[in-house]
Amino acid sequence: MIDRRLKVRHLQAFVEIARQKSLKRAAEILNLTQPAISKTLKELEDIAGVTLLERSRGGVVMTLEGDVFLRYATSSLTAIDQAMTSISAIRKGERGRVAVGALPSVAARMLPQAVQLFTRLAPNATPQVEDGPHGFLVDRLRAGKLDLVIGRLGKPDTMKGISFTQLYAEDVVVVCAPGHPLAEAGALTDIGDYPVIYPPKDAAIRPLVDRMMIADGMGDFPRRIESVSAAFGRGFTLGGDALWIISTGVVAGDIAAGRLIALPIKTGLTAGPIGVMARAEDDLTPLAQMFRQAAIRAVEDLALS
């Protein structure tokens, strides 16, 4: 629990002293007297119960405890600054554009709610939304063509230079059309020679589905069709006897409406984190920060977390 004596001025003074390595220079930058900044530091150390900085002939030296505290103090001030910037942007009716990429499961399930919430926060801004596979969207994010991407956490080699904030977890589901002979099938081994729509190699869910297949002692499906296209998968499944292995979010609405049937097959091994991706080295714009917050709120409203 945060000590109520701790104030923002304590963090500001400590971070500035650490940056300048001098109480005198930090006091000048913060428009304080040297006795005043020394008193503020002493108050902070009393609250923390440890010595954070030690004076030396060359200025000040950080203690081990000070190094630890600095990391979180800096992050806290950055978060406060971002919060105030976002509130200011809302108050001023920030104009502009925020470009968001979303994997199909997110685009179908959570994104509409996030966009509605965002437009309330920033009615004068224009959200630009596109969906696609993980690799395509992350490449566009790196190139600066997207501000955010919302989707599954990718493999480590695809996430270099990308930050990830988890929103919720999602698994895959095996679905079929109503009245399908296998609507009650409880295992992948029951599928037999029916056509199966399977995620392609570059799909974020492919390694998870492959792992599920191995755990179930399955080889390849003899009539496999590879695709993560929601439009194709839905049309092909409803128009014949195919089964479709896809992220739950893509077909959640269809299952709820009775247009598709979820087979009672255990798919827990395919559960994976869904989150917001951004360029790790960049500070988010106020509009991108607002959209990320809208996404977090949408997950709460839809009870996905």
Side-chain angles (χ1 to χ4, degrees):
M1 186 174 181
I2 298 175
D3 193 309
R4 292 186 178 183
R5 294 175 295 167
L6 184 64
K7 309 296 181 185
V8 172
R9 62 182 176 84
H10 292 122
L11 304 182
Q12 291 174 323
F14 174 71
V15 169
E16 198 58 50
I17 294 169
R19 284 175 181 161
Q20 303 302 324
K21 295 181 172 55
S22 164
L23 270 74
K24 181 180 179 182
R25 287 197 296 271
E28 291 171 352
I29 289 173
L30 295 174
N31 292 317
L32 297 171
T33 64
Q34 193 164 335
I37 201 169
S38 295
K39 180 182 177 183
T40 301
L41 175 60
K42 180 65 168 56
E43 290 174 354
L44 177 60
E45 291 181 325
D46 287 344
I47 294 168
V50 294
T51 299
L52 300 173
L53 295 168
E54 294 179 342
R55 290 178 173 81
S56 69
R57 291 183 178 180
V60 294
V61 177
M62 196 81 65
T63 64
L64 178 60
E65 293 84 356
D67 278 330
V68 173
F69 189 80
L70 178 62
R71 175 187 171 190
Y72 294 102
T74 303
S75 297
S76 298
L77 289 177
T78 299
I80 292 170
D81 181 64
Q82 290 177 341
M84 296 306 295
T85 299
S86 296
I87 292 298
S88 176
I90 293 172
R91 188 177 66 250
K92 294 177 181 177
E94 185 87 356
R95 297 179 181 274
R97 177 185 69 93
V98 59
V100 180
L103 268 67
S105 62
V106 173
R109 192 178 197 182
M110 182 272 284
L111 196 60
Q113 176 74 358
V115 170
Q116 287 184 7
L117 292 170
F118 173 76
T119 55
R120 291 185 211 166
L121 288 172
N124 297 323
T126 302
Q128 177 182 314
V129 177
E130 60 181 280
D131 65 1
H134 182 273
F136 169 75
L137 294 178
V138 169
D139 285 346
R140 287 181 61 76
L141 177 64
R142 284 200 180 92
K145 296 178 181 178
L146 293 173
D147 299 302
L148 301 170
V149 169
I150 307 178
R152 279 184 180 263
L153 176 65
K155 293 183 290 186
D157 61 329
T158 69
M159 296 296 293
K160 292 178 181 177
I162 302 295
S163 67
F164 183 87
T165 303
Q166 182 169 340
L167 297 173
Y168 60 100
E170 182 178 76
D171 57 10
V172 305
V173 66
V174 184
V175 297
C176 64
H180 194 289
L182 294 184
E184 300 298 325
L188 293 173
T189 52
D190 295 335
I191 291 176
D193 291 335
Y194 284 94
V196 176
I197 305 174
Y198 199 87
K201 287 186 177 180
D202 61 349
I205 64 172
R206 173 62 178 263
L208 303 174
V209 175
D210 285 346
R211 183 172 65 181
M212 178 180 67
M213 293 281 287
I214 293 170
D216 285 0
M218 288 288 295
D220 201 358
F221 292 112
R223 298 177 63 190
R224 187 167 86 179
I225 302 152
E226 294 191 354
S227 176
V228 287
S229 167
F232 169 76
R234 188 173 288 108
F236 193 76
T237 304
L238 289 173
D241 60 354
L243 295 111
W244 185 15
I245 302 175
I246 191 65
S247 291
T248 302
V250 176
V251 291
D254 297 291
I255 295 171
R259 291 186 293 269
L260 291 171
I261 304 296
L263 275 65
I265 293 175
K266 294 180 180 179
T267 59
L269 285 177
T270 65
I274 303 289
V276 180
M277 289 167 265
R279 291 180 294 278
E281 73 278 6
D282 291 354
D283 291 330
L284 291 180
T285 66
L287 288 178
Q289 291 173 22
M290 279 189 272
F291 198 98
R292 182 170 64 180
Q293 189 58 40
I296 294 170
R297 182 61 181 271
V299 169
E300 295 174 356
D301 289 351
L302 296 171
L304 297 176
S305 58

